[in-house]
């Protein structure tokens, strides 16, 4: 059977450039403060905040992306091939941590006995398949797909999340 690749993490590239530019601005501002305001007593606090901001907004997402990209080419990469079944979507509105209303959209499906689920909008990591690109893949029951994925253990509760690395759809 012939397949067409509709998503490949290696071809997508790192997508969090906006946060990288914002962090670069903070790093530049911190450098200016350290060079020209040597007597300001809060310089060390600014340095700590800038370092933490850079790690959280750039370091962690970039590590997640490169980690998943490397899993696509490793023996840890698993494949599920067959017909999609149990496709479902859930949309809801709820308050986030800052007490502002946020729209959430979650989607999931199953191939054979392997279950996949991901946020389309509202949360989750930007690395991996999210079905929110320029053209969304209209997933429906009965589609024949081959999904390359990494079964990532969840540290907090001992479950496993199947992170989609590549999707191929039958022609």
């Amino acid at each position: 059977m012939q397949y067409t690749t509709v998503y490949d993490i290696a071809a997508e590239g790192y997508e969090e450039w906006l946060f990288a530019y914002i962090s670069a601005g903070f790093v530049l501002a911190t450098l200016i403060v350290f060079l020209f305001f040597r007597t300001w007593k809060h310089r060390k606090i600014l340095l700590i905040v800038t370092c933490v901001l850079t790690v959280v907004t750039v370091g962690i997402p970039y590590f997640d992306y490169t980690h998943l990209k490397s899993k696509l080419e490793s023996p840890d990469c698993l494949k599920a091939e067959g017909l999609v079944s149990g496709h479902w979507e859930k949309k809801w509105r709820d308050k986030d941590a800052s007490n502002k209303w946020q729209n959430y959209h979650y989607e999931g499906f199953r191939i054979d006995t392997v279950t996949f689920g991901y946020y389309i909008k509202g949360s989750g990591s930007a690395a991996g398949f999210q079905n929110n690109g320029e053209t969304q893949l209209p997933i429906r029951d009965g589609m024949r797909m081959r999904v390359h994925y990494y079964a990532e253990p969840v540290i907090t509760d001992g479950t496993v999340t199947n992170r989609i690395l590549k999707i191929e759809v039958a022609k």
Side-chain angles (χ1 to χ4, degrees), residues 39-134:
T39 60
W40 189 46
K41 63 181 179 180
H42 301 292
R43 291 181 334 148
K44 290 182 182 174
I45 294 172
L46 178 63
L47 178 63
I48 292 168
V49 168
T50 300
C51 289
V52 169
L53 175 78
T54 302
V55 166
V56 169
T57 61
V58 179
I60 294 172
Y62 187 74
F63 171 78
D64 191 34
Y65 166 74
T66 56
H67 173 70
L68 290 178
K69 185 178 168 186
S70 71
K71 291 296 180 185
L72 182 60
E73 295 131 10
S74 78
D76 293 344
C77 184
L78 303 169
K79 290 181 193 172
E81 186 173 351
L83 299 176
V84 171
S85 64
H87 175 261
W88 58 274
E89 287 186 66
K90 181 179 180 183
K91 295 180 183 181
W92 71 97
R93 185 174 167 88
D94 201 358
K95 289 188 177 183
D96 62 11
S98 62
N99 212 22
K100 293 181 182 175
W101 287 102
Q102 176 78 17
N103 293 319
Y104 294 92
H105 186 177
Y106 198 82
E107 181 176 47
F109 62 92
R110 188 174 59 251
I111 295 179
D112 197 17
T113 60
V114 183
T115 303
F116 301 97
Y118 45 86
Y119 280 97
I120 293 176
K121 181 179 181 192
S123 189
S125 171
F129 181 70
Q130 292 184 320
N131 206 12
N132 62 0
E134 292 176 11

Side-chain angles (χ1 to χ4, degrees), residues 1-20:
M1 177 147 311
Q2 290 188 336
Y3 287 92
T4 302
T5 301
V6 294
Y7 174 80
D8 184 346
I9 192 168
E12 292 292 316
Y14 180 69
E15 297 177 351
E16 297 295 315
W17 290 110
L18 175 64
F19 291 116

